[in-house]
Each structure stands twice: as C-alpha cells, then as structure tokens.
Amino acid sequence: MKVFCGRANPTTGSVEWLEEDEHYDYNQEIARSSYADMLHDKDRNIKYYQGIRAAVSRVKDRGQKALVLDIGTGTGLLSMMAITAGADFCYAIEVFKPMADAAVKIVEKNGFSDKIKVINKHSTEVTVGPDGDMPCRANILVTELFDTELIGEGALPSYEHAHRYLVQENCEAVPHRATVYAQLVESRRMWSWNKLFPVHVQTSLGDQVIVPPSELERCPGAPSVYDIQLNQVSPSDFTLLSPVLPMFSVDFSKQVSSSAACHSKQFELLASGQAQVVLSWWDIEMDPEGKFKCTMAPFWAHSDPEELQWRDHWMQCVYFLPQEESVVRGMALCLVAYHDDYCVWYSLQRISPEENGKVHQMRPVCDCQAHLLWNRPRFGEINDQDRTDQYAQALRTVLTPDSICLCVSDGSLLSMLAHHLGAEQVFTIESSAASHKLMKKIFKANHLEDKISIIEKRPELLTSADLEGKKVSLLLGEPFFTTSLLPWHNLYFWYVRTAVDQHLEPGAVVMPQAASLYAMIVEFKDLWRIRSPCGDCEGFDVHIMDDMIKRALDFRESKEAEPHPLWEYPCRSLSAPQRILTFDFQQPVPQQSVRAEGCLELRQPGKSHGAVLWMEYHLTPDSTVSTGLLKPVEDKGDCCWNPHCKQAVYFLSTTPDPRVLLDGPQTVSYVVEFHPHTGDVTMEFRLIHTLV
C-alpha cells in the first residue's frame, strides 16, 4: 500500500507530496532510534539483569509466582531477562506496532513464546481480568521509560496508572528508585546558548554595538531541556558554584504521582561568580539496597571516571536559570527543582519555597520570539564574535557607499552589519511571522526601525514595489534557515538568489559567492555504536532486530546521511578532507544535475565508520566560513568541528580490521549528485580494499 506524505522541502522551500510505502517512516524511525545504542549499553543491560534476578528471587522467597509486567518492552530484551531469571510469566507492553511485531519475532526466536505475551497497546489501555489482556495483576514491574530528563517520555503518568490498575500493592519494581541530581555553574559558553550578547562591529565611526532588546534579556527562555554529551564540554568552559545536589527521588515500587511538585536544596556557594546554568543528571538503583546502580553522572561527579559508560540514549541536561544572578562564595542559597508530569525546570532563591509559601511555579515559556526562532546552537553562533568579525571583514571588501543590500536568512544580524558598515539602503526578507516579529524588536532596540526595511513575504513573491523600485547591488546571506537539518539544506539561499534574479542589477555582488561540499572518512570513538549490529546481547539473540535496522539502513545508506553535532562525538580522520562539489551562487541554480565521482584515500590505520560531510561558504575569494572542520586535522587525526552546526554523517556498512591496511591500499569510492529540481543530494560511499 502506498501513501502520500506532504513535506516542506528544506532546500527548495516548496511543499512536496511524496509517494511512500506505508511502513517507510516506521522503518526509518526504528533505524534511527536508540535501540542499537541501548542494546550496546552493557552497563545498562547488566544492571537491569541483576536487578530483575534479585526481584524474582525476592518474590520466589515469599512463595509466590513471579508475574512480570514490562512496560515499553521495545525489543523484548528485559522480558527475556525476566524469564531467564526465573519469572513464571511476563506481559510485555509495546505501543509502537512495528516494534511490537519485532518483539514477537525476537521472543519467538529465543524460545520464550510460551512465557512472554507481547501486548500491542499503550499501558494505560491494558486491562486486567478474566477477559482482559492480563488475568491478574503483576507483582514485578519492569520498565525502561526514561529519557535524558528522566520523566520526559511520560514515565510518571505510566507508573501512576500501572500502580492503580496493573500491579499489586508493594510490588517489586526494576528499577526500584531514581534520583535526580543538579549542580549550579557559571558558564559563558553555555549561557551563550540561551541569551543574546551585545555584538560589536568595528566601523569607520568606531565601535558600534548591537544590543539585545529588553524583552530578550527578561525572557525566561525556552521551556525545553537542552540535552548534550556533557563529558565533551571542557572543564575550562564552566565554574562549579555548588556541590552536587540530590534534588529529588522517585520510588517506583510504591504509588507514583504525576502531579506538579517542587523540591529544594539549600547549599553554600563554592565560588563567587554569575549563577547562570544548572547541570543535571540522574541515576537509577535496580534494587532496594542500591547494590546495582546505573548512573548518568559526568566525569567530574562519577564515582569511577575510568568506568564511564558511553551512551547516546541517555545523556545529561543543561537548564538555564530565568536570569543570571551575581553570587558570592559562602552565601547560602536554595536551588529549587520544579516538575510537572513531563518536564523539569529550576530556579535559584534566597529561601526555600516552603518558607515563602511559593511551592508552585508556572513552567517558563518564551515570550520574546527568539527562543522560538533560534535553537541553542544558533544562539551560540550569533554570539560568536569571531564569526561576526569574519563576516564584517568580508562585507567591507564588497560594500560601497551606494550599495543597495538585500539580506536573506532567518533572523540574521547581517542586515545590521551592512547598515553599520555604510550601505546606502538595506532590505531584509523575513518570511516567517516569528522572525519578522523578532527582528522588529531588535531593530527597535538599536534605533534602526526606520533604517532597515523588513519585507515579510516569501522571496519568490518579492516585487519591485517591495524594494521601492530599486535594484539590488549586494545580495547577502549567512546562510541560515530554521528548516535546515543537513548541511546542504541551506542551499535554499541559492534558490532564493535565483528567485530574486530579476531584482538584481547587472554585476550585482552575491555574498557568499559560492559554497563547497567537503567529505572526509573518519573513525568514531563511540558514535558508530548507534548503527552497529548488536549480535549477541548478554546471552540473547537479537539479530531479528538487527535485520530490521539493516533493511532500513540499506535503503538509507544509498541515498541519505544523518545530522549530528560532531563536537559532541569525537572522531579521527582517516583521509584528508576533500572537496566534492562546488555551487556557484553568482549564477542561478542550473537546470542540470551536478555530479561528482571519485575516491578518498585512507592515510591512517583505523576502522572506516563513516563519511562526514559539511559545507564551506566562500564569502569572498579570500574569506571562507566552514560549517565543519575549523582547523587542519592534527597529526593523530583528531578533528575540531564547528560547535554551532550539525555535520552530516553517512555510516558505512563495512568496517575493516585496521590490520588489513598493512596488506594493501584502501580507498572509499563516492558518487555524490545534487538534483536541482528537487534540491536533494544523493550519495553513495563504498569501501574498496586492494590486496598487494
């Protein structure tokens, strides 16, 4: 059966209706989910098995049958652990049908069909009774409903319902308990992901400063957590202001409430500084005694940093205080954690909420538009003064006193740079209501509302009247567009340049003048795990799941890559970076495809996990901005990636033994093609080994 799906093409900007197999999106979702990562998480799997085995033993010691309820079973791994540990029967709940179908096959393959019943429902729809999904309540509750924030996947409502309707009173629970920890820090780098800093522009009249509107400074920020690989943030990027604080715990063996709550911890400041950011993580204890603990603590708070388990399905949380506050070492303060049924947020107070009677606080919501338009990396990019200086220097070489500028990017400050550097007139296209509203606020705060004209319409609808009858002599873009996910999606700038061609004067300058797509073969330290076959997982055959992932990945590998922020995922270069395609923005988008074929020679021994692709924008012949590598690769192959952008990763299906390189040369062949009519970039990379 075929279905038609509508989507906005991030490269061309047009809305397309695509015919797809009805299971295509499901296969992609499974392929790109965290199942492989979780199955590779040895620490998680061992601790779960130890906890389940201990829970089954406690029930058996009471002379009872061990009846297990596994909510969110996924591959069925935890259910199979329960039966292996001696449980009499297990009810495995999985709401996502393709995953439930996979669990049935995996359970059958491992010989547990007679003791595990997979139920394809949401746990709140499961019934108990003679005619129900379960004949009686379970006495062991096993779940893996947690995300990086612990409760973001609805763990609290699911537990609340399970205790009321599906499990016995005082049941055993695995995990038994979870504890959320927090630590207050000062970090200019992390704070730059949340607030707009003053931006400096050196002009002939001196230092001009672009200031943020008061609405942005007062705004409490986006309500969502920022989850990152905190172990990749340098210790020099933050200052610890508080000790590690255990904020609250949840006992999963008892009735759980999903009602809003707050928890406070008093502490003394370890250092003076600006209280800006709360770092948070959690651990889960699989048994009542806390013998089997699984922790997400970063390296500086880990009991044994040498035993850190890399994970991508669970990371650490960065929360931003509504406002920064100056604090002094030795001062006594209260850190307060609030949560509803799905989200956590923090505040810093002089006294506890119980003392001042303010135990409830509304979840913070952005009211300035900036946090709705710019994501966290984009805030960091705009606050990068070195990057601003590079754009300003390039602008100085192309601007003239009679320049008529048209800026095309989403919520960009380029138009203000052009004005301060002496352009005669500046127009900026802001096609979304959010970007239009935000830029009006920023222009007003800088007294430029009458100096820069905002055009609120799609670029292809631009008329001469919008430009006051003038021709554009300088077309500017960063390029940045909020709909872009992969590096080449920002080629939308090229389509805009084509759409406004009639409004450009002869010989008009386009900046950037061109862009190049680069590729490099790398060996990842850990990221390879998310796409690696799982094989045998703690004694259980899960190759059925691997087959499902492989089918989806085989389809993807010939056509697509995935966006990843590689500053969080260390890797080594095995080949030199190589320019694959070049796009000339001084000319309209061509009618014919742009295709490149070639090979990347592997110069370093290692496992070829994948190809990394990124764009470099040539602002002028002498100035280039990279969305990928920021400096040449070091001798050992270590890479420094742009922290404000996601790079594209094309995972190779074969990873050779590094010793093979001693036997003969290795290369990776590629075919990359840009299709102008669709805006797609298709690619295929293949490892070639030649024996000598």
Side-chain angles (χ1 to χ4, degrees):
M1 175 181 175
K2 296 290 184 180
V3 294
F4 287 90
C5 299
R7 71 175 178 94
N9 187 308
T11 309
T12 65
S14 61
V15 176
E16 302 170 340
W17 289 92
L18 304 178
E19 184 182 25
E20 294 175 346
D21 182 89
E22 62 176 332
H23 295 302
Y24 170 80
D25 286 340
Y26 292 155
N27 289 337
Q28 293 297 315
E29 187 167 342
I30 291 174
R32 298 181 183 185
S33 69
S34 297
Y35 286 112
D37 178 27
M38 287 187 288
L39 293 172
H40 274 293
D41 190 341
K42 186 175 181 179
D43 177 67
R44 163 194 177 270
N45 296 336
I46 289 175
K47 300 293 175 52
Y48 258 102
Y49 184 64
Q50 291 172 328
I52 290 170
R53 185 172 56 187
V56 170
S57 295
R58 290 193 296 273
V59 170
K60 294 283 189 178
D61 289 346
R62 296 196 292 265
Q64 301 174 355
K65 285 188 174 183
L67 303 177
V68 177
L69 174 64
D70 175 10
I71 299 178
T73 194
T75 62
L77 179 62
L78 300 185
S79 293
M80 294 187 293
M81 286 182 179
I83 299 303
T84 302
D88 294 279
F89 201 86
C90 184
Y91 300 94
I93 314 300
E94 177 56 53
V95 66
F96 184 44
K97 189 176 187 308
M99 197 67 253
D101 292 342
V104 169
K105 294 177 182 178
I106 294 169
V107 165
E108 180 180 357
K109 176 68 178 178
N110 284 274
F112 294 116
S113 295
D114 59 333
K115 290 196 172 184
I116 297 176
K117 178 183 179 181
V118 179
I119 302 171
N120 179 209
K121 288 185 176 181
H122 193 283
S123 64
T124 57
E125 298 173 343
V126 172
T127 57
V128 176
D131 299 322
D133 301 301
M134 301 166 54
C136 62
R137 292 184 179 226
N139 53 16
I140 300 176
L141 176 58
V142 176
T143 65
E144 209 282 59
L145 300 172
F146 314 116
D147 66 350
T148 294
E149 200 173 18
L150 183 70
I151 65 173
E153 292 184 359
L156 296 182
S158 296
Y159 271 110
E160 186 173 44
H161 178 272
H163 277 286
R164 286 181 179 173
Y165 302 107
L166 304 179
V167 297
Q168 298 174 17
E169 188 176 356
N170 296 321
C171 72
E172 301 290 341
V174 183
H176 179 81
R177 182 188 300 106
T179 302
V180 173
Y181 299 88
Q183 195 163 25
L184 182 68
V185 304
E186 174 184 0
S187 174
R188 179 174 175 81
R189 179 185 179 188
M190 292 187 231
W191 195 239
S192 76
W193 300 337
N194 182 59
K195 296 289 185 179
L196 180 62
F197 296 170
V199 178
H200 295 265
V201 186
Q202 295 298 324
T203 73
S204 58
L205 300 177
D207 183 24
Q208 299 289 326
V209 182
I210 300 173
V211 298
S214 57
E215 293 98 319
L216 267 73
E217 296 186 307
R218 294 194 306 264
C219 180
S224 58
V225 64
Y226 189 24
D227 53 339
I228 66 171
Q229 294 282 358
L230 199 53
N231 288 312
Q232 297 307 315
V233 177
S234 170
S236 63
D237 281 332
F238 59 94
T239 301
L240 300 176
L241 300 180
S242 81
V244 175
L245 303 171
M247 297 305 301
F248 63 92
S249 294
V250 183
D251 186 337
F252 297 124
S253 68
K254 299 177 181 178
Q255 181 62 57
V256 172
S257 173
S258 62
S259 299
C262 80
H263 312 269
S264 62
K265 289 291 179 181
Q266 197 164 32
F267 67 96
E268 287 188 2
L269 270 299
L270 300 178
S272 299
Q274 293 295 114
Q276 298 167 325
V277 176
V278 175
L279 308 179
S280 181
W281 59 90
W282 49 262
D283 62 33
I284 46 178
E285 297 172 356
M286 300 299 182
D287 62 309
E289 294 78 26
K291 294 179 183 177
F292 315 123
K293 181 184 292 187
C294 194
T295 181
M296 306 307 118
F299 65 87
W300 68 87
H302 201 284
S303 58
D304 188 357
E306 297 299 320
E307 295 298 319
L308 274 175
Q309 170 72 46
W310 183 86
R311 302 178 172 93
D312 204 46
H313 58 106
W314 295 329
M315 292 185 278
Q316 293 81 36
C317 302
V318 176
Y319 296 94
F320 303 96
L321 293 177
Q323 300 296 328
E324 63 180 339
E325 181 178 345
S326 296
V327 294
V328 178
R329 181 179 178 180
M331 179 189 297
L333 289 175
C334 258
L335 185 64
V336 186
Y338 300 88
H339 73 79
D340 53 23
D341 48 352
Y342 284 90
C343 298
V344 180
W345 62 96
Y346 286 87
S347 72
L348 192 63
Q349 300 183 15
R350 302 287 175 174
I351 59 176
S352 68
E354 292 80 9
E355 291 182 67
N356 63 22
K358 297 180 180 179
V359 295
H360 297 294
Q361 184 188 78
M362 294 296 293
R363 181 181 171 197
V365 176
C366 170
D367 56 16
C368 75
Q369 302 295 315
H371 301 91
L372 303 179
L373 181 68
W374 300 331
N375 58 22
R376 305 298 191 187
R378 177 59 174 170
F379 265 98
E381 186 171 56
I382 292 174
N383 286 322
D384 187 336
Q385 185 65 52
D386 290 341
R387 180 178 180 276
T388 298
D389 292 344
Q390 188 172 0
Y391 270 92
Q393 182 58 37
L395 268 173
R396 291 187 189 98
T397 66
V398 295
L399 265 177
T400 61
D402 59 352
S403 289
I404 306 298
C405 299
L406 176 62
C407 299
V408 185
S409 290
D410 286 346
S412 171
L413 304 187
L414 267 186
S415 59
M416 304 177 74
L417 266 63
H419 170 79
H420 285 310
L421 292 173
E424 177 181 317
Q425 190 164 2
V426 181
F427 300 90
T428 182
I429 294 179
E430 302 293 345
S431 55
S432 76
S435 62
H436 180 265
K437 190 172 182 179
L438 172 62
M439 296 313 295
K440 281 187 68 174
K441 291 179 180 179
I442 295 176
F443 292 165
K444 184 176 180 180
N446 289 274
H447 310 292
L448 297 176
E449 64 268 37
D450 297 327
K451 308 282 182 62
I452 301 175
S453 302
I454 303 179
I455 303 170
E456 188 183 2
K457 59 170 54 177
R458 292 187 59 81
E460 63 268 22
L461 302 178
L462 189 70
T463 66
S464 178
D466 296 320
L467 298 171
E468 301 174 8
K470 299 178 180 179
K471 290 288 187 178
V472 173
S473 59
L474 177 57
L475 180 66
L476 299 175
E478 294 199 42
F480 169 83
F481 301 98
T482 56
T483 55
S484 299
L485 295 174
L486 291 161
W488 45 87
H489 287 168
N490 284 320
L491 286 176
Y492 177 57
F493 176 78
W494 203 7
Y495 288 83
V496 171
R497 178 259 179 271
T498 304
V500 303
D501 187 63
Q502 61 181 312
H503 301 293
L504 303 181
E505 69 176 23
V509 174
V510 178
M511 193 187 98
Q513 297 179 355
S516 296
L517 178 66
Y518 278 78
M520 184 172 70
I521 305 302
V522 303
E523 176 184 41
F524 286 108
K525 180 181 178 182
D526 294 298
L527 188 62
W528 61 270
R529 301 174 192 273
I530 70 172
R531 296 291 171 264
S532 176
C534 304
D536 182 82
C537 181
E538 300 305 315
F540 300 104
D541 183 1
V542 293
H543 79 275
I544 298 285
M545 183 63 202
D546 278 340
D547 288 344
M548 291 187 65
I549 293 176
K550 189 173 185 301
R551 283 200 299 272
L553 287 180
D554 283 345
F555 178 80
R556 175 184 58 77
E557 282 180 343
S558 63
K559 293 187 177 181
E560 296 183 28
E562 304 175 13
H564 291 282
L566 292 189
W567 74 268
E568 296 183 52
Y569 304 101
C571 62
R572 291 176 53 248
S573 166
L574 301 186
S575 75
Q578 186 163 313
R579 184 182 299 188
I580 304 295
L581 293 174
T582 297
F583 311 97
D584 184 1
F585 296 155
Q586 297 182 92
Q587 302 297 323
V589 175
Q591 295 298 309
Q592 298 78 30
S593 294
V594 181
R595 178 186 174 92
E597 298 183 38
C599 289
L600 294 163
E601 181 182 348
L602 303 186
R603 300 178 177 180
Q604 297 261 20
K607 292 191 175 183
S608 306
H609 290 136
V612 176
L613 300 100
W614 68 93
M615 299 288 283
E616 295 194 359
Y617 292 100
H618 311 296
L619 306 184
T620 67
D622 301 320
S623 179
T624 296
V625 173
S626 174
T627 67
L629 284 177
L630 292 184
K631 54 186 180 182
V633 175
E634 298 179 1
D635 292 341
K636 294 182 179 179
D638 294 335
C639 306
C640 178
W641 298 103
N642 188 324
H644 311 312
C645 305
K646 289 184 177 181
Q647 292 73 40
V649 178
Y650 181 106
F651 288 98
L652 294 169
S653 57
T654 305
T655 55
D657 189 311
R659 292 170 297 182
V660 173
L661 290 175
L662 300 176
D663 299 328
Q666 290 217 341
T667 59
V668 173
S669 68
Y670 63 82
V671 177
V672 179
E673 188 168 4
F674 170 66
H675 306 274
H677 295 292
T678 62
D680 293 332
V681 174
T682 58
M683 63 191 68
E684 186 167 9
F685 289 81
R686 289 185 179 276
L687 182 71
I688 300 173
H689 171 62
T690 305
L691 293 175
V692 295

